[in-house]
Amino acid sequence: MKENAPQMQNTHLNGNLSIADYPKVTSTKVIVQRQYILSVIKQFGSANTIELQNLGIKHPAARIMELKMAGVPIASTRETYTCHAGLEHKRVKRYFISSSNDDSQLSLFDDDLACA
């Protein structure tokens, strides 16, 4: 049975920051980009491929796959995304933390930046 994805959240949990305003990733290191993706998803509840690319992650699907292989409970759904130019992009993946699992695996990545 397919999980229900959270609704798209354009604002930070406190209502002040949109995902487009989130600071861009400043490293091309894979470990930093994985931690960054987790941070974005934790802050906004979900993020899609185009949003992550706009934040500097050039191949989000690869980083998501690596996180899943490490045991992070990331789920996805597909959506139609309208970009800043008004174009509709169909079947864009939106990633979120699966609610059916606990967050114990997320803590594995809390110290990743210290090692980078």
Side-chain angles (χ1 to χ4, degrees), residues 10 16-17 23 25 30 35 38 54 68-69 75 81 89 93:
N10 288 328
N16 294 330
L17 182 70
V25 68
V30 174
Q35 176 63 34
L38 280 178
N54 289 341
K68 285 181 176 182
M69 289 174 58
Y81 178 80
H89 301 267
K93 276 209 172 177

Side-chain angles (χ1 to χ4, degrees), residues 63-92:
R63 304 295 79 81
I64 295 291
M65 181 189 68
E66 294 160 358
L67 287 166
K68 285 181 176 182
M69 289 174 58
V72 177
I74 294 179
S76 64
T77 189
R78 296 208 184 252
E79 67 184 14
T80 298
Y81 178 80
T82 304
C83 70
H84 67 282
L87 302 173
E88 284 190 353
H89 301 267
K90 297 185 186 290
R91 298 181 45 82
V92 174

Side-chain angles (χ1 to χ4, degrees), residues 39-57:
S39 173
V40 170
I41 292 174
K42 284 180 186 179
Q43 291 284 333
F44 295 96
S46 67
N48 72 32
T49 302
I50 295 172
E51 291 166 339
L52 292 170
Q53 288 172 337
N54 289 341
L55 293 173
I57 306 293

Side-chain angles (χ1 to χ4, degrees), residues 35 38 42 67 70-73 97 102-113 115:
Q35 176 63 34
L38 280 178
K42 284 180 186 179
L67 287 166
V72 177
I97 302 300
D102 61 40
D103 289 341
S104 61
Q105 291 294 322
L106 297 179
S107 62
L108 293 175
F109 295 92
D110 286 343
D111 297 323
D112 277 352
L113 291 176
C115 299

